[in-house]
Amino acid sequence: MIVLLAAMSAATAGFGQEAGIQREQGAAPPGGGAPPVVVYDGSAGQLEVPNPWVEEADVTVDGRIDEAVWLNAPVLTGFTQFDPVEGVPATQRTEARVLVTDEAIYLAVTAYDDVEGGVRATLGDRDSFAMSDDYVRFILDTFNDNRRGYVIMVNPHGVQQDGLWVVGSRGGRDRYGPPIDWNPDFVWDSGGYLFDGGYSVEVKLPFKSIRFREEAVQDWGLQIERRIARNGYSESWAPVTANVANKMEQFGRLTGLQELDQGLFFEVNPVQTFTKQGAYNSDLGAFQRDGVDGDFGLNLTYGVTSNLTLDGTYNPDFSQVEADAGQIRVNERFAIFLREKRPFFLEGTEIFRLPQQLVYTRSIVNPVAGAKLQGKIGNFNAGYLGAVDDVADPDNPGANTKPVVNIFRLRRDLGTTSTLGLVYTDRTYHTERFNRLVGVDGRFQFSERYTLTLLAAGSRTAEGVPDRRSGGLWSAQFARSGRNFQLSANVQDLSNGFVAGSGFIRRTGTAQAKTNVSYNFRGKPGDLIERWGPSFETEGFWEHDGFWAGRWAQESRMRLGGSVSFRGNLTLFGNYSRSYYNFAPEDYDGLFFKGPGGHTEPFHADQSMFKGLSSGTVFLWVNSFDRVRGNVRFTRSESPLFDFSTDTPVDLADSWSGDASLNLFPTTNLSGEVGVRHTHLYRKRDGSLYSRATIPRARAQYQFNRSLFVRAIVEYGSQRRGSLLTPTTGREVSYCSGESCFEIQGSESNDFSVETLLSFEPTPGTVFFVGYTRLMDDMEAFRFHELRPQAEGVFVKLSYRFRG
């Protein structure tokens, strides 16, 4: 392993210099000698930039803006701040330049900084720096439709991050951030250059990497943003306000772009993997290892037109996926949502996003082959996703079957910002076992700041003869955007027979209503408190039939919260809530306990104990320091203990939970993360322990250059749950179905895992990596003296992305 590291490090030693990852003390920013020909001041409303075409751009993409062609490029300046204070002049000067050739668009920015050592920059892998570093962000609305844009981000070292700005979706990793899907990876060049007094970046984005209209003359939307990490200030070239729901309406424009041609676009991405796995055989009482298993896969991409792309995959490889972080499951009532991380399902699938999760690609567990077609024709966005899955047969658990999955999506633009869409999903095992769903959705924006989002869907499911059922779902959401005052209200209803076989729906046979009102008070530039404000939220859950019969909600909650953001990147959140549970006696059918004479008696909970339950949370986020950042959360609550079979509260507990995380940046190349999640639940009756869970996790990564890194992740998951007991006498509760009864027993697990990865990835799709994973059981929590291996795997991946 050491020899391999040394060899790869030597082989790529020049990569950082070629990409412009360098710093020269005392150097002035290049490209500042000659005055620009034309300046477009965003603060003065100069947001229309005529076609900046040049016949040839002799540019070395290294972050140094010193080529002659840049001297005559239009300069975009006059940035204004939009967070935390809106509309004031930017605190630091920023100048951007743009050029267009027959093959690519070139973008460059000089970001000045008058604070010595004030620029934060780390050398990490792709898509890793949004919360830690200074960066420049370019957003290109290539269809000029105010609905979808390419997001291209560069930090001062030229490290890349990219995604898609999708209006109407939640912020990807940060639900409160801009509506960016960070999953796609595009092929483009970038370079960064640090100098005393700031930094500069260059970007070359080939037309082969993006999609646009097939028109002789077209306009593109353009926005350029800059973030200063040490104080959290965000600035933009085109001024924006939160009083407009769709930020893309406020972007600037590149106008009169002529004869843009993607050219022939075809990609071939062969993938070869080798794995060696082992597992503990409980029958033999020994650990057994298999031989080396080789596997070949192939990914194909064809640009049918400049705005329509076809993707295909055979035997797709997902081994380069970081393991899901541990989840606490000791009192979890419903299925836990896991984010999609597999490349084939991430890229180009934003079309399948809906107000409810009717499309959840992780429902395709082990695809043998798959295909995607997506693009935009006129005012229509269209998408198709198909796959053949290889999973266990629900009718015969010992055998595998290959269900066929087909997902169709069509969405039409209405007016300047509204949309109307249609979705169809089909998951078929055989003629008597299938799930089919059709839905219609719309997003309507009016008076700039108001949006109404609607969805209606119906499903039909067959699980053999005569087991067939149908059901429906509908939802509506109204929202008001605003710099200070925000409001949202939504309601949804799912019938008992509704099934989304290719989606993720936590609860069926329920109705839900929720409202949220918040107000932000904002300080002036330089104030100690930059922003603060309260929020109030109400939420109710009904059983489906009870909702339409006008009965009281089974569950309801009121929450009062607030947040304070201080100067220097420190934010404090807090909330207090009251919850009420109201279940009917028939909801407890199937639950029993043994009476004093040993005979079985039906169990019915005293509903009064589940009314007016209190909960409080405090959360602190600190991003004030250059090398250490983190957050901590603490929650104290009164929590019902649920029976998972009937989804009803049986007992009551005092809950204490919290988590803490630290992000560490000791050097430019080395980064780390340490964190822990913990929860305890004590029975109200006698203070005895019902459950506890502790999950510490540590992650360290050393980045040799932008392409080569080594990473290690260590995680320990200790989780224990006791038996459900009656709240008055402490007798064990049983669940009976037909003639079968079983006690609701507790469980305990102490899992210890180690994951290491050496990765070399110069561009997305071209990769070599070696990884090792080992999962062990600890016989006693956190003792480490009797670890028993459960599974392990060594894997190697080789792939190359050929682009024609």
Side-chain angles (χ1 to χ4, degrees):
M1 180 67 74
I2 296 175
V3 173
L4 180 61
L5 278 170
M8 293 188 71
S9 181
T12 59
F15 186 88
Q17 294 179 357
E18 293 172 3
I21 302 172
Q22 48 196 306
R23 179 188 182 106
E24 294 188 7
Q25 296 293 332
V37 175
V38 183
V39 174
Y40 296 89
D41 188 332
S43 63
Q46 299 170 358
L47 303 176
E48 301 283 336
V49 181
N51 185 10
W53 181 84
V54 293
E55 184 174 357
E56 184 177 355
D58 185 15
V59 173
T60 301
V61 185
D62 57 4
R64 298 169 177 265
I65 313 172
D66 55 1
E67 290 84 3
V69 69
W70 286 120
L71 298 180
N72 297 318
V75 176
L76 284 58
T77 187
F79 282 58
T80 54
Q81 188 178 125
F82 64 87
D83 190 57
V85 180
E86 190 177 280
V88 300
T91 58
Q92 303 293 337
R93 184 161 61 100
T94 307
E95 293 181 352
R97 290 171 169 81
V98 58
L99 295 170
V100 174
T101 69
D102 289 337
E103 297 180 349
I105 181 171
Y106 292 79
L107 301 155
V109 167
T110 303
Y112 298 93
D113 198 312
D114 57 15
V115 175
E116 184 177 356
V119 176
R120 287 185 182 178
T122 55
L123 188 59
D125 60 322
R126 190 185 186 97
D127 297 342
S128 64
F129 60 82
M131 299 300 294
S132 61
D133 290 8
D134 284 56
Y135 62 73
V136 173
R137 176 189 292 166
F138 306 97
I139 308 167
L140 290 167
D141 179 5
T142 57
F143 286 90
N144 196 32
D145 60 5
N146 299 325
R147 291 170 176 85
R148 176 182 178 274
Y150 291 91
V151 179
I152 303 296
M153 285 173 51
V154 192
N155 84 346
H157 283 311
V159 179
Q160 298 179 358
Q161 182 159 329
D162 49 14
L164 286 171
W165 185 294
V166 184
V167 172
S169 67
R170 289 184 176 181
R173 294 167 189 165
D174 175 9
R175 60 175 296 188
Y176 301 105
I180 301 176
D181 177 4
W182 295 112
N183 294 312
D185 287 327
F186 311 112
V187 177
W188 47 287
D189 298 323
S190 63
Y193 170 64
L194 277 157
F195 57 86
D196 284 350
Y199 66 95
S200 56
V201 299
E202 284 179 310
V203 165
K204 177 185 178 182
L205 179 61
F207 292 143
K208 288 182 183 292
S209 296
I210 58 178
R211 305 292 167 261
F212 46 86
R213 295 184 187 273
E214 283 194 312
E215 296 179 355
V217 181
Q218 54 189 290
D219 300 341
W220 288 6
L222 173 65
Q223 178 65 293
I224 304 171
E225 298 177 353
R226 175 186 177 184
R227 181 177 184 267
I228 303 173
R230 67 174 181 274
N231 53 27
Y233 290 178
S234 295
E235 303 159 352
S236 63
W237 168 61
V240 295
T241 173
N243 291 325
V244 176
N246 185 352
K247 301 297 184 294
M248 297 190 81
E249 292 185 82
Q250 306 170 71
F251 287 4
R253 293 288 183 271
L254 292 174
T255 63
L257 303 178
Q258 299 181 25
E259 304 297 337
L260 299 183
D261 184 13
Q262 186 186 58
L264 177 63
F265 177 60
F266 185 69
E267 289 184 348
V268 181
N269 183 209
V271 181
Q272 178 67 52
T273 61
F274 301 94
T275 59
K276 182 177 176 62
Q277 300 184 20
Y280 180 77
N281 189 319
S282 58
D283 294 333
L284 300 177
F287 192 85
Q288 294 183 315
R289 291 179 173 85
D290 300 330
V292 176
D293 182 22
D295 213 2
F296 177 79
L298 183 67
N299 302 311
L300 301 172
T301 301
Y302 175 63
V304 181
T305 64
S306 66
N307 56 358
L308 194 62
T309 304
L310 175 65
D311 294 274
T313 185
Y314 165 73
N315 194 24
D317 167 66
F318 302 135
S319 59
Q320 198 185 357
V321 174
E322 183 178 312
D324 295 308
Q327 305 264 5
I328 293 177
R329 304 170 186 261
V330 291
N331 195 36
E332 183 64 43
R333 301 167 61 192
F334 311 109
I336 292 178
F337 180 84
L338 298 173
R339 283 197 311 114
E340 180 62 84
K341 299 180 180 181
R342 302 171 296 179
F344 175 77
F345 292 112
L346 290 176
E347 297 189 21
T349 54
E350 75 284 347
I351 181 68
F352 299 110
R353 293 188 176 216
L354 289 111
Q356 303 293 327
Q357 195 91 32
L358 301 184
V359 177
Y360 178 53
T361 52
R362 281 190 75 149
S363 65
I364 304 172
V365 180
N366 185 30
V368 176
K372 293 185 301 183
L373 179 67
Q374 69 272 341
K376 185 165 187 176
I377 303 174
N379 290 325
F380 288 90
N381 277 281
Y384 165 76
L385 172 62
V388 178
D389 207 356
D390 188 2
V391 294
D393 188 342
D395 296 326
N396 186 4
N400 275 26
T401 187
K402 291 182 171 59
V404 177
V405 179
N406 288 292
I407 302 172
F408 298 89
R409 175 75 165 138
L410 185 66
R411 188 174 63 213
R412 190 188 192 283
D413 297 343
L414 299 175
T416 57
T417 57
S418 300
T419 59
L420 183 67
L422 174 71
V423 64
Y424 174 79
T425 71
D426 184 343
R427 184 179 182 90
T428 299
Y429 292 85
H430 47 74
T431 56
E432 299 300 334
R433 186 177 186 88
F434 59 82
N435 171 261
R436 290 161 190 161
L437 178 150
V438 62
V440 179
D441 69 296
R443 181 181 185 273
F444 309 97
Q445 181 177 331
F446 48 96
S447 298
E448 289 191 332
R449 69 171 74 218
Y450 300 99
T451 57
L452 177 64
T453 305
L454 303 173
L455 170 68
S459 71
R460 181 162 178 78
T461 305
E463 295 182 347
V465 179
D467 187 4
R468 293 173 182 258
R469 62 187 187 274
S470 301
L473 170 153
W474 65 269
S475 68
Q477 179 180 14
F478 173 79
R480 180 194 189 274
S481 299
R483 169 175 162 76
N484 300 109
F485 177 66
Q486 300 92 33
L487 167 70
S488 68
N490 66 72
V491 60
Q492 67 180 49
D493 176 63
L494 298 90
S495 66
N496 291 289
F498 181 80
V499 178
S502 298
F504 183 87
I505 302 295
R506 289 183 184 271
R507 309 173 72 172
T508 58
T510 63
Q512 177 185 2
K514 184 177 181 179
T515 62
N516 184 280
V517 179
S518 62
Y519 194 92
N520 285 318
F521 297 91
R522 298 176 182 266
K524 298 178 181 179
D527 283 356
L528 174 63
I529 297 178
E530 296 178 335
R531 178 175 53 232
W532 70 276
S535 64
F536 182 70
E537 180 180 293
T538 63
E539 188 173 17
F541 289 92
W542 287 261
E543 186 269 331
H544 168 74
D545 294 336
F547 176 76
W548 292 105
R551 293 197 288 265
W552 288 102
Q554 281 188 330
E555 305 174 37
S556 57
R557 184 177 300 108
M558 293 183 294
R559 180 183 291 115
L560 178 64
S563 65
V564 182
S565 296
F566 298 92
R567 183 180 64 237
N569 260 350
L570 188 150
T571 303
L572 179 67
F573 301 88
N575 65 65
Y576 173 79
S577 67
R578 298 278 286 178
S579 301
Y580 301 82
Y581 297 84
N582 182 36
F583 286 79
E586 57 268 23
D587 295 328
Y588 289 86
D589 289 348
L591 292 184
F592 297 85
F593 71 97
K594 288 185 178 180
H599 59 282
T600 300
E601 297 181 14
F603 172 80
H604 298 286
D606 178 6
Q607 291 295 314
S608 63
M609 66 188 298
F610 302 119
K611 297 184 184 298
L613 304 184
S614 300
S615 176
T617 297
V618 176
F619 178 85
L620 177 66
W621 183 72
V622 181
N623 194 20
S624 306
F625 310 106
D626 188 24
R627 299 298 180 186
V628 180
R629 296 144 223 178
N631 60 77
V632 61
R633 178 189 62 85
F634 176 77
T635 299
R636 162 71 173 88
S637 65
E638 296 174 298
S639 300
L641 302 180
F642 287 90
D643 163 57
F644 306 139
S645 303
T646 59
D647 185 28
T648 51
V650 172
D651 201 355
L652 189 62
D654 286 318
S655 173
W656 306 78
S657 65
D659 55 73
S661 177
L662 280 180
N663 297 95
L664 310 172
F665 304 89
T667 69
T668 299
N669 301 74
L670 179 63
S671 63
E673 179 183 355
V674 292
V676 62
R677 304 182 65 194
H678 177 78
T679 184
H680 261 95
L681 282 85
Y682 296 95
R683 296 183 179 92
K684 275 275 192 181
R685 176 174 56 85
D686 58 2
S688 60
L689 177 68
Y690 169 71
S691 68
R692 59 112 181 103
T694 305
I695 305 180
R697 177 180 171 95
R699 182 179 187 271
Q701 181 164 314
Y702 187 85
Q703 198 82 26
F704 297 93
N705 53 49
R706 278 172 44 193
S707 301
L708 178 66
F709 71 81
V710 61
R711 179 179 72 206
I713 299 174
V714 178
E715 181 177 287
Y716 193 105
S718 176
Q719 305 198 46
R720 175 187 173 188
R721 185 182 71 233
S723 301
L724 277 176
L725 306 177
T726 58
T728 53
T729 60
R731 298 182 182 275
E732 291 192 353
V733 178
S734 301
Y735 175 73
C736 297
S737 178
E739 299 296 326
S740 301
C741 292
F742 59 90
E743 292 181 347
I744 305 173
Q745 298 288 345
S747 62
E748 182 172 3
S749 63
N750 300 295
D751 300 324
F752 179 53
S753 64
V754 178
E755 177 183 320
T756 61
L757 177 68
L758 170 69
S759 174
F760 175 63
E761 187 176 12
T763 59
T766 298
V767 64
F768 167 75
F769 74 76
V770 180
Y772 173 76
T773 301
R774 187 174 180 87
L775 176 65
M776 293 163 281
D777 275 349
D778 198 356
M779 296 299 100
E780 191 175 350
F782 296 103
R783 294 299 182 184
F784 296 99
H785 66 276
E786 196 177 347
L787 289 172
R788 183 176 64 185
Q790 289 297 304
E792 71 173 10
V794 180
F795 47 96
V796 176
K797 177 177 178 179
L798 295 162
S799 71
Y800 189 83
R801 189 172 189 170
F802 297 92
R803 170 175 280 198

